[in-house]
Amino acid sequence: MSTTTKTLTIAGPMRPRYADILTPDAVGFVEELQNRFASRRHELLAERMQLRYDLGNGRDLRFLPETQHIRDDTTWRVAGAGPGLDDRRVEITGPCDPKMTINALNSRANVWLADLEDATSPTWGNIIEGQLSLFDAIREQLTFTSPEGKQYTVTAERTPTIVMRPRGWHLVEKHIEHVDAQGRRLAASASLVDFGLYVFHNAHELIARGRGPYFYLPKLENHREARLWNEVFTFAERRLGLPHGTIRATVLIETFPAAFEMDEILYELRDHCAGLNAGRWDYVFSIIKNYRGRGQWFVLPDRDRILMTLPFMRAYTELLVQTCHKRGAHAIGGMSAFIPNRRDPEVTERALERVAADKRREARDGFDGSWVAHPDLIPVARAEFDAVLGSSRNQLDRQRDDVSVTARDLLDVRSAGGAVTLAGVRANISITVRYLESWLRGVGAAAIDNLMEDAATAEISRSQLWQWMHQDHETVEGEIVSRRLVEGMLAEVLAQLPRPDGHKLAEAEEVFRTVTLQEDFPTFLTVPAYARFLVEREEPAVREDAAA
């Protein structure tokens, strides 16, 4: 079954209750977004490609001289927190399936990042059913029964404020086709699909319940991309009858280029901006992606040695706090990947210690809150922020005038050292393959070796492998990281992994080879994997004469 408007076609299968989300009016609204903003999105993505080309040819990132006046102007501020967003000391992240939604709402976190991006494998079912989970949760009508018969209901008296993360500008939704102004039939922008369906159905309901339509914006690379989001928000408010500034966004500073334009990003979104988030894992991936061919100075060590205390990472986070508080925006910390294991007390104790240290550092640095990936980590994170914030809801009064960060500080990747071990090579292979296998089964957030892996952490692993091979990097044991070495370890890893019914290891190996072992570097591992394996094709109708 397909649903068609003048320029938009829903080509994905319509399953029970999908029509509650893909209503004619909601689809019409998404069509308006595509018609107004899709061409500008394409232009901005072309600018990204040009920047990567320039960086690969020796240009370095810098603070923009043409926007110096924005950075120097001390008078402007952002809109700040909306209702329910004033205290963000603990935020829990996770996908939007019914079980995880209920667990997040019962978690006692201040905010739930309802993630349709890195923690979600973007199957058609996960995307539309994620919207259904949010629709029902906002209306306090969400329940879930597991295949084993376990009942899940929302029991918390006060649930976290929902901040939804749509997919980034670079991603498409191939189950929805859009005919552009030139008559070309293209996949719709996933950003506009996710945002459009959510805000259309839920904005007024959220406001009536004392909250608002709030969003995390991922993967922005510059202030022009922030400007496009601001234009989308302004149009949506006008179209849906919302007062200007009702929509609030928190921008993830998780790309290397964006770290040089934090003031400008806040400025472009100033009527709609609540804060910035230090998206540490994608930030590291972005460094590797953009500087992967620039020699040994930009080679990072084993993934587990890339710590937030390294000088170039300290420069990034301290500049973020200073920039936010100067403009009245919340500074939200990132996610430590360590998670507890309820079957292993020793692992749990180690995870709690490491998460506590991470959140202690962030709270003392001036962050207003931070992320956790597991409900058991909420008390740990809350204790560290309570110790610093006390009865205050944030640390906006901490201006961090002591911070002085230069472009050279942000670019000082060499300070991490480049120590790579054979164990680090093997770990990256194992993590990438196992995460891809999970993602291809529709699970976008996976516990692997007592760490929470999502698309961002897997991107670091595969991009490091690509860079080490192309730089002929030598391990501390004296071995060159060659394709032959990686191929040999890949075979060993695959031979050791279990193969339960329904596993996707063969497909994971194929994607691994595509994103890691080829000469060209795919900008995101999820892009080829999505196109190859997650797009559902409608079965062609069988002709009666052929069947006979």
Side-chain angles (χ1 to χ4, degrees), residues 304-328:
D304 63 2
R305 299 185 186 184
I306 306 173
L307 306 175
M308 296 305 295
T309 52
L310 291 170
F312 73 99
M313 295 298 284
R314 292 286 292 161
Y316 149 64
T317 56
E318 292 200 318
L319 179 62
L320 187 147
V321 172
Q322 181 192 57
T323 304
C324 282
H325 290 181
K326 181 171 62 176
R327 306 302 182 183

mmCIF file of all heavy atoms in Angstrom, residues 304-328:
data_model
loop_
_atom_site.group_PDB
_atom_site.id
_atom_site.type_symbol
_atom_site.label_atom_id
_atom_site.label_comp_id
_atom_site.label_asym_id
_atom_site.label_seq_id
_atom_site.Cartn_x
_atom_site.Cartn_y
_atom_site.Cartn_z
ATOM 1 N N ASP A 304 40.430 3.103 23.512
ATOM 2 C CA ASP A 304 40.228 3.239 24.965
ATOM 3 C C ASP A 304 41.222 4.185 25.620
ATOM 4 O O ASP A 304 41.141 4.439 26.827
ATOM 5 C CB ASP A 304 40.252 1.870 25.643
ATOM 6 C CG ASP A 304 41.583 1.145 25.509
ATOM 7 O OD1 ASP A 304 42.530 1.711 24.917
ATOM 8 O OD2 ASP A 304 41.678 -0.003 25.982
ATOM 9 N N ARG A 305 42.154 4.734 24.835
ATOM 10 C CA ARG A 305 43.101 5.717 25.364
ATOM 11 C C ARG A 305 42.729 7.153 24.960
ATOM 12 O O ARG A 305 43.467 8.088 25.287
ATOM 13 C CB ARG A 305 44.518 5.393 24.891
ATOM 14 C CG ARG A 305 45.012 4.033 25.344
ATOM 15 C CD ARG A 305 46.463 3.800 24.968
ATOM 16 N NE ARG A 305 46.870 2.439 25.275
ATOM 17 C CZ ARG A 305 48.106 1.975 25.129
ATOM 18 N NH1 ARG A 305 49.054 2.779 24.677
ATOM 19 N NH2 ARG A 305 48.397 0.723 25.421
ATOM 20 N N ILE A 306 41.632 7.309 24.237
ATOM 21 C CA ILE A 306 41.182 8.651 23.860
ATOM 22 C C ILE A 306 40.296 9.159 24.994
ATOM 23 O O ILE A 306 39.092 8.896 25.046
ATOM 24 C CB ILE A 306 40.429 8.635 22.522
ATOM 25 C CG1 ILE A 306 41.288 7.980 21.440
ATOM 26 C CG2 ILE A 306 40.057 10.058 22.100
ATOM 27 C CD1 ILE A 306 40.552 7.765 20.124
ATOM 28 N N LEU A 307 40.893 9.864 25.911
ATOM 29 C CA LEU A 307 40.235 10.253 27.148
ATOM 30 C C LEU A 307 39.821 11.719 27.119
ATOM 31 O O LEU A 307 40.418 12.543 26.424
ATOM 32 C CB LEU A 307 41.171 10.004 28.338
ATOM 33 C CG LEU A 307 41.741 8.582 28.451
ATOM 34 C CD1 LEU A 307 42.738 8.512 29.603
ATOM 35 C CD2 LEU A 307 40.625 7.564 28.633
ATOM 36 N N MET A 308 38.823 12.056 27.922
ATOM 37 C CA MET A 308 38.352 13.433 27.986
ATOM 38 C C MET A 308 39.366 14.357 28.653
ATOM 39 O O MET A 308 39.246 15.578 28.554
ATOM 40 C CB MET A 308 37.024 13.500 28.737
ATOM 41 C CG MET A 308 35.885 12.771 28.045
ATOM 42 S SD MET A 308 35.626 13.326 26.338
ATOM 43 C CE MET A 308 35.123 15.014 26.603
ATOM 44 N N THR A 309 40.355 13.809 29.315
ATOM 45 C CA THR A 309 41.379 14.630 29.964
ATOM 46 C C THR A 309 42.530 14.994 29.029
ATOM 47 O O THR A 309 43.424 15.743 29.435
ATOM 48 C CB THR A 309 41.936 13.882 31.187
ATOM 49 O OG1 THR A 309 42.351 12.565 30.784
ATOM 50 C CG2 THR A 309 40.876 13.757 32.268
ATOM 51 N N LEU A 310 42.526 14.502 27.806
ATOM 52 C CA LEU A 310 43.564 14.880 26.841
ATOM 53 C C LEU A 310 43.454 16.374 26.535
ATOM 54 O O LEU A 310 42.344 16.923 26.489
ATOM 55 C CB LEU A 310 43.430 14.064 25.560
ATOM 56 C CG LEU A 310 43.754 12.570 25.678
ATOM 57 C CD1 LEU A 310 43.357 11.836 24.406
ATOM 58 C CD2 LEU A 310 45.236 12.367 25.981
ATOM 59 N N PRO A 311 44.556 17.060 26.289
ATOM 60 C CA PRO A 311 44.507 18.521 26.111
ATOM 61 C C PRO A 311 43.533 18.993 25.034
ATOM 62 O O PRO A 311 42.802 19.968 25.259
ATOM 63 C CB PRO A 311 45.960 18.866 25.757
ATOM 64 C CG PRO A 311 46.772 17.814 26.441
ATOM 65 C CD PRO A 311 45.959 16.561 26.343
ATOM 66 N N PHE A 312 43.499 18.342 23.881
ATOM 67 C CA PHE A 312 42.618 18.847 22.820
ATOM 68 C C PHE A 312 41.150 18.595 23.144
ATOM 69 O O PHE A 312 40.276 19.357 22.713
ATOM 70 C CB PHE A 312 43.002 18.246 21.460
ATOM 71 C CG PHE A 312 42.633 16.804 21.265
ATOM 72 C CD1 PHE A 312 41.498 16.451 20.557
ATOM 73 C CD2 PHE A 312 43.434 15.783 21.766
ATOM 74 C CE1 PHE A 312 41.164 15.121 20.359
ATOM 75 C CE2 PHE A 312 43.122 14.463 21.569
ATOM 76 C CZ PHE A 312 41.977 14.116 20.869
ATOM 77 N N MET A 313 40.850 17.563 23.938
ATOM 78 C CA MET A 313 39.473 17.329 24.363
ATOM 79 C C MET A 313 39.085 18.286 25.489
ATOM 80 O O MET A 313 37.933 18.748 25.555
ATOM 81 C CB MET A 313 39.299 15.877 24.806
ATOM 82 C CG MET A 313 39.490 14.861 23.690
ATOM 83 S SD MET A 313 38.289 15.033 22.342
ATOM 84 C CE MET A 313 36.812 14.315 23.085
ATOM 85 N N ARG A 314 40.025 18.612 26.367
ATOM 86 C CA ARG A 314 39.758 19.608 27.398
ATOM 87 C C ARG A 314 39.479 20.968 26.764
ATOM 88 O O ARG A 314 38.577 21.692 27.193
ATOM 89 C CB ARG A 314 40.962 19.728 28.343
ATOM 90 C CG ARG A 314 41.208 18.514 29.215
ATOM 91 C CD ARG A 314 40.199 18.401 30.330
ATOM 92 N NE ARG A 314 40.330 19.458 31.325
ATOM 93 C CZ ARG A 314 39.361 19.798 32.178
ATOM 94 N NH1 ARG A 314 38.185 19.196 32.118
ATOM 95 N NH2 ARG A 314 39.555 20.753 33.065
ATOM 96 N N ALA A 315 40.248 21.317 25.743
ATOM 97 C CA ALA A 315 40.029 22.599 25.064
ATOM 98 C C ALA A 315 38.616 22.669 24.496
ATOM 99 O O ALA A 315 37.915 23.691 24.629
ATOM 100 C CB ALA A 315 41.072 22.771 23.956
ATOM 101 N N TYR A 316 38.171 21.593 23.889
ATOM 102 C CA TYR A 316 36.837 21.522 23.274
ATOM 103 C C TYR A 316 35.735 21.681 24.323
ATOM 104 O O TYR A 316 34.799 22.483 24.152
ATOM 105 C CB TYR A 316 36.763 20.200 22.512
ATOM 106 C CG TYR A 316 35.440 19.501 22.391
ATOM 107 C CD1 TYR A 316 34.370 20.073 21.703
ATOM 108 C CD2 TYR A 316 35.287 18.204 22.908
ATOM 109 C CE1 TYR A 316 33.174 19.373 21.558
ATOM 110 C CE2 TYR A 316 34.100 17.507 22.755
ATOM 111 C CZ TYR A 316 33.044 18.092 22.094
ATOM 112 O OH TYR A 316 31.873 17.395 21.947
ATOM 113 N N THR A 317 35.820 20.951 25.427
ATOM 114 C CA THR A 317 34.740 21.005 26.409
ATOM 115 C C THR A 317 34.747 22.303 27.207
ATOM 116 O O THR A 317 33.677 22.848 27.528
ATOM 117 C CB THR A 317 34.815 19.798 27.361
ATOM 118 O OG1 THR A 317 36.104 19.748 27.975
ATOM 119 C CG2 THR A 317 34.566 18.503 26.605
ATOM 120 N N GLU A 318 35.923 22.813 27.533
ATOM 121 C CA GLU A 318 35.962 24.061 28.296
ATOM 122 C C GLU A 318 35.494 25.236 27.449
ATOM 123 O O GLU A 318 34.821 26.146 27.956
ATOM 124 C CB GLU A 318 37.366 24.294 28.842
ATOM 125 C CG GLU A 318 37.756 23.274 29.905
ATOM 126 C CD GLU A 318 38.899 23.745 30.772
ATOM 127 O OE1 GLU A 318 39.863 24.331 30.232
ATOM 128 O OE2 GLU A 318 38.824 23.522 32.000
ATOM 129 N N LEU A 319 35.837 25.236 26.168
ATOM 130 C CA LEU A 319 35.333 26.286 25.287
ATOM 131 C C LEU A 319 33.821 26.209 25.164
ATOM 132 O O LEU A 319 33.133 27.237 25.111
ATOM 133 C CB LEU A 319 35.995 26.175 23.904
ATOM 134 C CG LEU A 319 35.534 27.208 22.869
ATOM 135 C CD1 LEU A 319 35.868 28.626 23.324
ATOM 136 C CD2 LEU A 319 36.176 26.921 21.503
ATOM 137 N N LEU A 320 33.277 24.992 25.140
ATOM 138 C CA LEU A 320 31.825 24.832 25.041
ATOM 139 C C LEU A 320 31.132 25.427 26.267
ATOM 140 O O LEU A 320 30.141 26.167 26.134
ATOM 141 C CB LEU A 320 31.480 23.353 24.879
ATOM 142 C CG LEU A 320 30.012 23.017 24.589
ATOM 143 C CD1 LEU A 320 29.913 21.783 23.687
ATOM 144 C CD2 LEU A 320 29.214 22.769 25.868
ATOM 145 N N VAL A 321 31.623 25.125 27.460
ATOM 146 C CA VAL A 321 31.008 25.674 28.674
ATOM 147 C C VAL A 321 31.100 27.195 28.670
ATOM 148 O O VAL A 321 30.102 27.901 28.944
ATOM 149 C CB VAL A 321 31.689 25.092 29.928
ATOM 150 C CG1 VAL A 321 31.179 25.809 31.187
ATOM 151 C CG2 VAL A 321 31.419 23.597 30.043
ATOM 152 N N GLN A 322 32.261 27.726 28.374
ATOM 153 C CA GLN A 322 32.430 29.181 28.359
ATOM 154 C C GLN A 322 31.480 29.840 27.356
ATOM 155 O O GLN A 322 30.817 30.838 27.665
ATOM 156 C CB GLN A 322 33.874 29.531 28.015
ATOM 157 C CG GLN A 322 34.149 31.036 28.004
ATOM 158 C CD GLN A 322 35.496 31.356 27.394
ATOM 159 O OE1 GLN A 322 35.770 30.978 26.247
ATOM 160 N NE2 GLN A 322 36.356 32.044 28.146
ATOM 161 N N THR A 323 31.407 29.277 26.152
ATOM 162 C CA THR A 323 30.567 29.859 25.102
ATOM 163 C C THR A 323 29.102 29.823 25.499
ATOM 164 O O THR A 323 28.366 30.805 25.340
ATOM 165 C CB THR A 323 30.779 29.111 23.774
ATOM 166 O OG1 THR A 323 32.173 29.138 23.441
ATOM 167 C CG2 THR A 323 29.978 29.743 22.653
ATOM 168 N N CYS A 324 28.658 28.680 26.018
ATOM 169 C CA CYS A 324 27.251 28.559 26.418
ATOM 170 C C CYS A 324 26.881 29.565 27.495
ATOM 171 O O CYS A 324 25.885 30.295 27.371
ATOM 172 C CB CYS A 324 26.979 27.140 26.917
ATOM 173 S SG CYS A 324 26.778 25.907 25.623
ATOM 174 N N HIS A 325 27.636 29.619 28.548
ATOM 175 C CA HIS A 325 27.254 30.456 29.687
ATOM 176 C C HIS A 325 27.343 31.944 29.364
ATOM 177 O O HIS A 325 26.589 32.750 29.920
ATOM 178 C CB HIS A 325 28.100 30.089 30.899
ATOM 179 C CG HIS A 325 27.755 28.743 31.463
ATOM 180 N ND1 HIS A 325 28.371 28.206 32.571
ATOM 181 C CD2 HIS A 325 26.840 27.821 31.068
ATOM 182 C CE1 HIS A 325 27.848 27.016 32.835
ATOM 183 N NE2 HIS A 325 26.924 26.762 31.927
ATOM 184 N N LYS A 326 28.224 32.295 28.465
ATOM 185 C CA LYS A 326 28.300 33.683 28.011
ATOM 186 C C LYS A 326 27.006 34.102 27.316
ATOM 187 O O LYS A 326 26.628 35.282 27.329
ATOM 188 C CB LYS A 326 29.487 33.828 27.059
ATOM 189 C CG LYS A 326 29.708 35.234 26.513
ATOM 190 C CD LYS A 326 31.032 35.317 25.761
ATOM 191 C CE LYS A 326 31.056 34.388 24.570
ATOM 192 N NZ LYS A 326 32.309 34.526 23.768
ATOM 193 N N ARG A 327 26.295 33.124 26.723
ATOM 194 C CA ARG A 327 25.088 33.424 25.940
ATOM 195 C C ARG A 327 23.799 32.964 26.626
ATOM 196 O O ARG A 327 22.736 32.993 26.017
ATOM 197 C CB ARG A 327 25.187 32.762 24.565
ATOM 198 C CG ARG A 327 26.457 33.097 23.792
ATOM 199 C CD ARG A 327 26.610 34.590 23.566
ATOM 200 N NE ARG A 327 27.815 34.906 22.779
ATOM 201 C CZ ARG A 327 28.226 36.123 22.487
ATOM 202 N NH1 ARG A 327 27.540 37.177 22.938
ATOM 203 N NH2 ARG A 327 29.322 36.332 21.768
ATOM 204 N N GLY A 328 23.863 32.510 27.877
ATOM 205 C CA GLY A 328 22.663 32.082 28.583
ATOM 206 C C GLY A 328 22.152 30.723 28.166
ATOM 207 O O GLY A 328 20.964 30.409 28.333
#
